[in-house]
Each structure stands twice: as structure tokens, then as C-alpha cells.
Amino acid sequence: MKTNWKIGAAMAVLFLVPMAACSTDAPSEVGEGEAAEEEKGPHGGKILRDGDFAVEMTVFEDGVPPEFRVYPTRNGKPVDPKSVKLTVTLKRLDGQIEKFAFKPEKDYLVGQGTVIEPHSFDVEVVAASGGKRHVWKYSSPEGQTKISKSAAEDGGIEIETVGPQSISDIREVEGVVQLDPAATSEIRAQFPGKVMQVTKAVGDYVKKGQLLARIESSESLQIYPVYSPVSGVVAERNANVGNVAYDQPIYVITDPSSTSVVFNIFPRDLGTIRPGQKIIIETLDGKPVADSVLGGYLAEGNVAAGTAQVRASLPNRDGRWRPGIALHGRVMVNAVTVPLAVRTEALQPFRDFTVVYANFGEVYEVRMLELGRKSSEWTEVLGGIKPGTKYAAKGSFLIRQDIEKSGASHDH
């Protein structure tokens, strides 16, 4: 079985460059005008004509890596491939240029090298036969589409760059927001005495250095001020005017921005979840909250639930996360850094391949990937895309739909 390029009508309108041929010693330039309907040969390939001489271009990959097979004819009759010198030059979207020499085999010329996927490129064919030189140029897109910048933004397409990433297994855990132990300050009288004034109530916000109370010392009968050593919210006020302040705290002030999440760790995960591992904190419905790092296991644990407990800090500058709120966590375990990775959500099916869509301005083109380790966030790439290539990390399904609608693929 032989396979070759098939360009959908919609994609042909967008991308197909008119084919040109010339029998001079100088390569022809691509001309203006409409692209002619593609002529197919008896082997299912593209026919390139120049006078009475023609070649049929095919890509064969039945049991072998994809290779060019070119069938020369004159006046519709086969030409001995030994009498034809042929070269093919491919130029890809990323600027890569590949040149193929050919040697005769049976009734065709076979290219010396593998035609790497995707089979999407600008092609120049140069053939010498019967003392004449023939040159053709054409475009052969595959798995390719064009989406304007505004349409891409509206569709949620986001671009990232292929590069190294840390890939981890995921363990799911549940936890509850708590104030950090260091987030509570107890404010006491410096000297025992009668409370003459209190300035703050429970729930009031206090700035560091603000006046909280005035106390009349029982020993000196001098009235001295009590200032807040921290900023925070008054959680308790244990004195009123006329009370005697002694060793009990007058105020308890908490810092609502200094919070953490205490997560429950079940026995089955004790061997893999360890202090220092990265944890992604989310709401119970999966919305991202913060990235954090697990601290040490707490001494007490959760006896009622039969779990160990571990704390992770939670940034909370706006005080949104109140103590008692339940949150979800995803712990990254067995982390390993790989040289190349793409976002897992970027992966899409294309024929028999798993692909991402490389980005070149407003043009997107498939890259067939060889994949390794995989997590919910990142997937290792072993081959099929170059380091530093930009690709559609989010919104790739929109690109896939556009390509499938246009029919920009070839038969396999």
C-alpha cells in the first residue's frame, strides 16, 4: 500500500501555492493566479508536468519509515529512473530545510532519507532528463490552520514554550484552614493595676503601635499606656474599665493573613507524602488557591479520623480564607525534572498520533510527539518537537476542530 498527501479544499484555498514548472537552467518563480486542481497519478500521488515530461510524487510508508517515491514519465509512458537525476528540497514553517537525493529502484526513484512528520512543507523538485532541467515549486500543508490573534484570544488559546519541567505523581488530600500558631499575640499589662481606658473591641482591626488601653499602676499610681506590638484583628478582649489587670491577657490579637492549611494524611500515603514536597491548594470545586510546600508532620495528628496531619502555609493578605474553611490539596510526589515537556491539556489526537499545535504567529501546525512520563499537569516529550518551540498550551481543542473542519490531513 502506498500513501501520499491529500489536501482538503478549504486548506488548499488558504495555503496551496500555485505550482510552477520550467525547462530552463534557472529555477522558476511561483506565479500569480488561482491554484489548479491537483492531478493525481496511477500511484495516488501528485502529478507535476513540464511539457511532455512529468513526475508523480508519492510518500510511501507501508512497512518502512516514510520515504519519497517518484515515478517519471514522458508522454504518459514510464521513463527509466536510471536516466533521471532528481533532488527534492523541503522548507518547513520553522525555517528548517531538508534536501533529498534520489537513486533508481525498479520503476521509480527513491529518496535517500526519512520524510519526517508532519508532511507539511514548501517543496522544490528539480529533475534532469533527456538533456533538460525541470523545476517545480508547490506548497503541501498538513495539519495546519490559520487563526487570527483576536480569534485565538476569544477562543482561550494560550501560547507557551516547550522546555524542561518537573513531572510528579499526584496524591489528593483534604484540609482545613487554621491560623498559624505564631499568628496570635497576647497583650498583657506591664504592671498590675486598674484599667482606666480600653480603645478596641472584638473584631476591630489594630495597627502596630496603636493605643489599646491605659492602666493605673497599683504601686506607683501612675497611668501608663498599652500599645499594640503587632497589626491584626482583636480576637479577645478580657478587660473593661474598672477591672484590675494582672496576669491575664487584656487583648488577644490575631493576624488573619497568617494562615495555613492543616491536611489529613491517611496511612496509605505516609510512605510517599513527606515534608518539603510541593502542594497545589485548591477549593473543593477545583479552583486554584495557591502553591505551597508541606511542613513537618504535626505531633498530635487527628485521632478521630485516624490520620496524620501536616501543615502548609496559605497566603491570605485579604483575609479571605477564614479558619474552618475546607480546602483540597494535590501533593507532588516522586518529582523528576525532564528536558522537554508540554502541558497535558495541550495534547490532542491527530490520525494515529498524539500531537500539540506548534505556533508560528497566526499559523498553527501539528507536531507528532513521542511521549514519556505523564501527570495531570505535564507530559514528558521524547521526540517530535524542538526545544524552545512555541505551542498552544490551552485552547488546543479549538485548533483541532478548525483543522478537522478544513480536512488538512493526508491519508494513512
Side-chain angles (χ1 to χ4, degrees), residues 196-219:
M196 305 301 291
Q197 181 187 14
V198 288
T199 65
K200 298 295 180 182
V202 172
D204 286 350
Y205 182 79
V206 176
K207 290 185 178 180
K208 182 179 180 180
Q210 273 191 315
L211 179 68
L212 296 179
R214 294 184 188 275
I215 309 293
E216 182 183 64
S217 171
S218 299
E219 185 175 339

PDB file of all heavy atoms in Angstrom, residues 196-219:
ATOM      1  N   MET A 196      -8.133  51.921  83.210  1.00  0.00           N
ATOM      2  CA  MET A 196      -8.746  53.242  83.126  1.00  0.00           C
ATOM      3  C   MET A 196      -9.402  53.489  81.762  1.00  0.00           C
ATOM      4  O   MET A 196     -10.334  54.289  81.663  1.00  0.00           O
ATOM      5  CB  MET A 196      -7.685  54.320  83.386  1.00  0.00           C
ATOM      6  CG  MET A 196      -6.931  54.156  84.688  1.00  0.00           C
ATOM      7  SD  MET A 196      -8.023  54.180  86.131  1.00  0.00           S
ATOM      8  CE  MET A 196      -8.534  55.898  86.113  1.00  0.00           C
ATOM      9  N   GLN A 197      -8.893  52.813  80.727  1.00  0.00           N
ATOM     10  CA  GLN A 197      -9.432  53.019  79.383  1.00  0.00           C
ATOM     11  C   GLN A 197      -9.116  51.809  78.510  1.00  0.00           C
ATOM     12  O   GLN A 197      -8.029  51.232  78.603  1.00  0.00           O
ATOM     13  CB  GLN A 197      -8.819  54.280  78.740  1.00  0.00           C
ATOM     14  CG  GLN A 197      -9.337  54.579  77.336  1.00  0.00           C
ATOM     15  CD  GLN A 197      -8.592  55.732  76.679  1.00  0.00           C
ATOM     16  OE1 GLN A 197      -7.532  56.159  77.146  1.00  0.00           O
ATOM     17  NE2 GLN A 197      -9.134  56.257  75.591  1.00  0.00           N
ATOM     18  N   VAL A 198     -10.081  51.396  77.700  1.00  0.00           N
ATOM     19  CA  VAL A 198      -9.853  50.412  76.632  1.00  0.00           C
ATOM     20  C   VAL A 198     -10.348  51.036  75.334  1.00  0.00           C
ATOM     21  O   VAL A 198     -11.370  51.733  75.326  1.00  0.00           O
ATOM     22  CB  VAL A 198     -10.562  49.070  76.910  1.00  0.00           C
ATOM     23  CG1 VAL A 198      -9.881  48.304  78.027  1.00  0.00           C
ATOM     24  CG2 VAL A 198     -12.039  49.265  77.221  1.00  0.00           C
ATOM     25  N   THR A 199      -9.614  50.822  74.246  1.00  0.00           N
ATOM     26  CA  THR A 199      -9.927  51.528  72.990  1.00  0.00           C
ATOM     27  C   THR A 199     -10.449  50.633  71.876  1.00  0.00           C
ATOM     28  O   THR A 199     -10.940  51.136  70.866  1.00  0.00           O
ATOM     29  CB  THR A 199      -8.669  52.237  72.472  1.00  0.00           C
ATOM     30  OG1 THR A 199      -7.678  51.259  72.132  1.00  0.00           O
ATOM     31  CG2 THR A 199      -8.125  53.205  73.513  1.00  0.00           C
ATOM     32  N   LYS A 200     -10.307  49.318  72.022  1.00  0.00           N
ATOM     33  CA  LYS A 200     -10.689  48.428  70.934  1.00  0.00           C
ATOM     34  C   LYS A 200     -11.665  47.367  71.410  1.00  0.00           C
ATOM     35  O   LYS A 200     -11.624  46.940  72.574  1.00  0.00           O
ATOM     36  CB  LYS A 200      -9.458  47.755  70.318  1.00  0.00           C
ATOM     37  CG  LYS A 200      -8.457  48.735  69.685  1.00  0.00           C
ATOM     38  CD  LYS A 200      -9.066  49.446  68.487  1.00  0.00           C
ATOM     39  CE  LYS A 200      -8.073  50.424  67.871  1.00  0.00           C
ATOM     40  NZ  LYS A 200      -8.664  51.158  66.728  1.00  0.00           N
ATOM     41  N   ALA A 201     -12.526  46.916  70.465  1.00  0.00           N
ATOM     42  CA  ALA A 201     -13.483  45.855  70.741  1.00  0.00           C
ATOM     43  C   ALA A 201     -13.137  44.633  69.904  1.00  0.00           C
ATOM     44  O   ALA A 201     -12.331  44.711  68.961  1.00  0.00           O
ATOM     45  CB  ALA A 201     -14.896  46.329  70.433  1.00  0.00           C
ATOM     46  N   VAL A 202     -13.747  43.498  70.245  1.00  0.00           N
ATOM     47  CA  VAL A 202     -13.531  42.270  69.477  1.00  0.00           C
ATOM     48  C   VAL A 202     -13.952  42.502  68.019  1.00  0.00           C
ATOM     49  O   VAL A 202     -15.016  43.052  67.740  1.00  0.00           O
ATOM     50  CB  VAL A 202     -14.325  41.100  70.088  1.00  0.00           C
ATOM     51  CG1 VAL A 202     -14.261  39.870  69.176  1.00  0.00           C
ATOM     52  CG2 VAL A 202     -13.796  40.771  71.471  1.00  0.00           C
ATOM     53  N   GLY A 203     -13.076  42.110  67.102  1.00  0.00           N
ATOM     54  CA  GLY A 203     -13.345  42.281  65.683  1.00  0.00           C
ATOM     55  C   GLY A 203     -12.715  43.511  65.081  1.00  0.00           C
ATOM     56  O   GLY A 203     -12.636  43.638  63.845  1.00  0.00           O
ATOM     57  N   ASP A 204     -12.265  44.456  65.938  1.00  0.00           N
ATOM     58  CA  ASP A 204     -11.617  45.657  65.418  1.00  0.00           C
ATOM     59  C   ASP A 204     -10.244  45.330  64.841  1.00  0.00           C
ATOM     60  O   ASP A 204      -9.527  44.455  65.352  1.00  0.00           O
ATOM     61  CB  ASP A 204     -11.438  46.703  66.522  1.00  0.00           C
ATOM     62  CG  ASP A 204     -12.740  47.375  66.905  1.00  0.00           C
ATOM     63  OD1 ASP A 204     -13.743  47.174  66.199  1.00  0.00           O
ATOM     64  OD2 ASP A 204     -12.755  48.094  67.931  1.00  0.00           O
ATOM     65  N   TYR A 205      -9.879  46.058  63.763  1.00  0.00           N
ATOM     66  CA  TYR A 205      -8.533  45.915  63.207  1.00  0.00           C
ATOM     67  C   TYR A 205      -7.603  46.870  63.936  1.00  0.00           C
ATOM     68  O   TYR A 205      -7.944  48.030  64.190  1.00  0.00           O
ATOM     69  CB  TYR A 205      -8.512  46.218  61.711  1.00  0.00           C
ATOM     70  CG  TYR A 205      -7.148  46.030  61.105  1.00  0.00           C
ATOM     71  CD1 TYR A 205      -6.679  44.747  60.798  1.00  0.00           C
ATOM     72  CD2 TYR A 205      -6.318  47.122  60.869  1.00  0.00           C
ATOM     73  CE1 TYR A 205      -5.416  44.555  60.258  1.00  0.00           C
ATOM     74  CE2 TYR A 205      -5.052  46.942  60.323  1.00  0.00           C
ATOM     75  CZ  TYR A 205      -4.608  45.662  60.024  1.00  0.00           C
ATOM     76  OH  TYR A 205      -3.354  45.487  59.500  1.00  0.00           O
ATOM     77  N   VAL A 206      -6.420  46.388  64.285  1.00  0.00           N
ATOM     78  CA  VAL A 206      -5.442  47.162  65.049  1.00  0.00           C
ATOM     79  C   VAL A 206      -4.153  47.262  64.249  1.00  0.00           C
ATOM     80  O   VAL A 206      -3.679  46.261  63.690  1.00  0.00           O
ATOM     81  CB  VAL A 206      -5.154  46.481  66.409  1.00  0.00           C
ATOM     82  CG1 VAL A 206      -4.068  47.238  67.160  1.00  0.00           C
ATOM     83  CG2 VAL A 206      -6.420  46.383  67.231  1.00  0.00           C
ATOM     84  N   LYS A 207      -3.586  48.456  64.199  1.00  0.00           N
ATOM     85  CA  LYS A 207      -2.275  48.636  63.598  1.00  0.00           C
ATOM     86  C   LYS A 207      -1.201  48.592  64.672  1.00  0.00           C
ATOM     87  O   LYS A 207      -1.440  48.985  65.812  1.00  0.00           O
ATOM     88  CB  LYS A 207      -2.197  49.977  62.867  1.00  0.00           C
ATOM     89  CG  LYS A 207      -3.027  50.043  61.598  1.00  0.00           C
ATOM     90  CD  LYS A 207      -2.798  51.367  60.879  1.00  0.00           C
ATOM     91  CE  LYS A 207      -3.587  51.412  59.578  1.00  0.00           C
ATOM     92  NZ  LYS A 207      -3.378  52.703  58.865  1.00  0.00           N
ATOM     93  N   LYS A 208      -0.048  48.097  64.281  1.00  0.00           N
ATOM     94  CA  LYS A 208       1.084  48.068  65.208  1.00  0.00           C
ATOM     95  C   LYS A 208       1.366  49.481  65.726  1.00  0.00           C
ATOM     96  O   LYS A 208       1.433  50.432  64.963  1.00  0.00           O
ATOM     97  CB  LYS A 208       2.318  47.515  64.508  1.00  0.00           C
ATOM     98  CG  LYS A 208       3.538  47.404  65.406  1.00  0.00           C
ATOM     99  CD  LYS A 208       4.719  46.815  64.639  1.00  0.00           C
ATOM    100  CE  LYS A 208       5.943  46.709  65.530  1.00  0.00           C
ATOM    101  NZ  LYS A 208       7.108  46.150  64.809  1.00  0.00           N
ATOM    102  N   GLY A 209       1.472  49.614  67.093  1.00  0.00           N
ATOM    103  CA  GLY A 209       1.755  50.906  67.704  1.00  0.00           C
ATOM    104  C   GLY A 209       0.520  51.672  68.139  1.00  0.00           C
ATOM    105  O   GLY A 209       0.643  52.725  68.780  1.00  0.00           O
ATOM    106  N   GLN A 210      -0.686  51.156  67.808  1.00  0.00           N
ATOM    107  CA  GLN A 210      -1.911  51.846  68.227  1.00  0.00           C
ATOM    108  C   GLN A 210      -2.155  51.663  69.728  1.00  0.00           C
ATOM    109  O   GLN A 210      -1.833  50.615  70.307  1.00  0.00           O
ATOM    110  CB  GLN A 210      -3.122  51.325  67.450  1.00  0.00           C
ATOM    111  CG  GLN A 210      -3.364  52.028  66.136  1.00  0.00           C
ATOM    112  CD  GLN A 210      -4.713  51.672  65.548  1.00  0.00           C
ATOM    113  OE1 GLN A 210      -5.094  50.497  65.530  1.00  0.00           O
ATOM    114  NE2 GLN A 210      -5.437  52.678  65.070  1.00  0.00           N
ATOM    115  N   LEU A 211      -2.792  52.655  70.332  1.00  0.00           N
ATOM    116  CA  LEU A 211      -3.142  52.596  71.757  1.00  0.00           C
ATOM    117  C   LEU A 211      -4.277  51.606  71.965  1.00  0.00           C
ATOM    118  O   LEU A 211      -5.308  51.666  71.290  1.00  0.00           O
ATOM    119  CB  LEU A 211      -3.570  53.981  72.254  1.00  0.00           C
ATOM    120  CG  LEU A 211      -3.992  54.070  73.715  1.00  0.00           C
ATOM    121  CD1 LEU A 211      -2.789  53.850  74.632  1.00  0.00           C
ATOM    122  CD2 LEU A 211      -4.654  55.420  73.997  1.00  0.00           C
ATOM    123  N   LEU A 212      -4.084  50.699  72.941  1.00  0.00           N
ATOM    124  CA  LEU A 212      -5.104  49.707  73.269  1.00  0.00           C
ATOM    125  C   LEU A 212      -5.774  49.990  74.610  1.00  0.00           C
ATOM    126  O   LEU A 212      -6.971  49.728  74.786  1.00  0.00           O
ATOM    127  CB  LEU A 212      -4.478  48.303  73.313  1.00  0.00           C
ATOM    128  CG  LEU A 212      -3.898  47.766  72.003  1.00  0.00           C
ATOM    129  CD1 LEU A 212      -3.300  46.389  72.236  1.00  0.00           C
ATOM    130  CD2 LEU A 212      -4.966  47.702  70.917  1.00  0.00           C
ATOM    131  N   ALA A 213      -4.996  50.487  75.577  1.00  0.00           N
ATOM    132  CA  ALA A 213      -5.550  50.689  76.929  1.00  0.00           C
ATOM    133  C   ALA A 213      -4.661  51.640  77.717  1.00  0.00           C
ATOM    134  O   ALA A 213      -3.518  51.917  77.328  1.00  0.00           O
ATOM    135  CB  ALA A 213      -5.661  49.348  77.645  1.00  0.00           C
ATOM    136  N   ARG A 214      -5.236  52.118  78.837  1.00  0.00           N
ATOM    137  CA  ARG A 214      -4.467  52.884  79.829  1.00  0.00           C
ATOM    138  C   ARG A 214      -4.693  52.209  81.177  1.00  0.00           C
ATOM    139  O   ARG A 214      -5.824  51.897  81.542  1.00  0.00           O
ATOM    140  CB  ARG A 214      -4.897  54.342  79.868  1.00  0.00           C
ATOM    141  CG  ARG A 214      -4.587  55.113  78.602  1.00  0.00           C
ATOM    142  CD  ARG A 214      -4.950  56.590  78.733  1.00  0.00           C
ATOM    143  NE  ARG A 214      -4.825  57.294  77.474  1.00  0.00           N
ATOM    144  CZ  ARG A 214      -3.686  57.811  77.014  1.00  0.00           C
ATOM    145  NH1 ARG A 214      -2.562  57.700  77.743  1.00  0.00           N
ATOM    146  NH2 ARG A 214      -3.652  58.430  75.858  1.00  0.00           N
ATOM    147  N   ILE A 215      -3.597  51.994  81.899  1.00  0.00           N
ATOM    148  CA  ILE A 215      -3.623  51.278  83.176  1.00  0.00           C
ATOM    149  C   ILE A 215      -3.041  52.182  84.275  1.00  0.00           C
ATOM    150  O   ILE A 215      -1.990  52.807  84.075  1.00  0.00           O
ATOM    151  CB  ILE A 215      -2.810  49.973  83.115  1.00  0.00           C
ATOM    152  CG1 ILE A 215      -3.221  49.124  81.888  1.00  0.00           C
ATOM    153  CG2 ILE A 215      -2.959  49.178  84.417  1.00  0.00           C
ATOM    154  CD1 ILE A 215      -4.611  48.576  81.946  1.00  0.00           C
ATOM    155  N   GLU A 216      -3.715  52.227  85.444  1.00  0.00           N
ATOM    156  CA  GLU A 216      -3.170  52.937  86.617  1.00  0.00           C
ATOM    157  C   GLU A 216      -2.423  51.930  87.472  1.00  0.00           C
ATOM    158  O   GLU A 216      -3.025  50.997  88.018  1.00  0.00           O
ATOM    159  CB  GLU A 216      -4.289  53.583  87.436  1.00  0.00           C
ATOM    160  CG  GLU A 216      -3.770  54.368  88.650  1.00  0.00           C
ATOM    161  CD  GLU A 216      -4.889  54.932  89.492  1.00  0.00           C
ATOM    162  OE1 GLU A 216      -5.659  54.120  90.067  1.00  0.00           O
ATOM    163  OE2 GLU A 216      -5.006  56.170  89.569  1.00  0.00           O
ATOM    164  N   SER A 217      -1.106  52.085  87.543  1.00  0.00           N
ATOM    165  CA  SER A 217      -0.280  51.139  88.290  1.00  0.00           C
ATOM    166  C   SER A 217      -0.701  51.135  89.763  1.00  0.00           C
ATOM    167  O   SER A 217      -0.816  52.195  90.400  1.00  0.00           O
ATOM    168  CB  SER A 217       1.193  51.509  88.163  1.00  0.00           C
ATOM    169  OG  SER A 217       1.975  50.748  89.038  1.00  0.00           O
ATOM    170  N   SER A 218      -0.902  49.936  90.297  1.00  0.00           N
ATOM    171  CA  SER A 218      -1.295  49.806  91.708  1.00  0.00           C
ATOM    172  C   SER A 218      -0.169  50.248  92.629  1.00  0.00           C
ATOM    173  O   SER A 218      -0.406  50.654  93.780  1.00  0.00           O
ATOM    174  CB  SER A 218      -1.673  48.351  92.020  1.00  0.00           C
ATOM    175  OG  SER A 218      -2.758  47.932  91.226  1.00  0.00           O
ATOM    176  N   GLU A 219       1.062  50.176  92.172  1.00  0.00           N
ATOM    177  CA  GLU A 219       2.211  50.511  93.019  1.00  0.00           C
ATOM    178  C   GLU A 219       2.543  51.992  92.951  1.00  0.00           C
ATOM    179  O   GLU A 219       2.697  52.657  93.984  1.00  0.00           O
ATOM    180  CB  GLU A 219       3.414  49.677  92.588  1.00  0.00           C
ATOM    181  CG  GLU A 219       4.629  49.872  93.478  1.00  0.00           C
ATOM    182  CD  GLU A 219       5.767  48.946  93.120  1.00  0.00           C
ATOM    183  OE1 GLU A 219       5.513  47.899  92.482  1.00  0.00           O
ATOM    184  OE2 GLU A 219       6.906  49.275  93.456  1.00  0.00           O
TER     185      GLU A 219
END
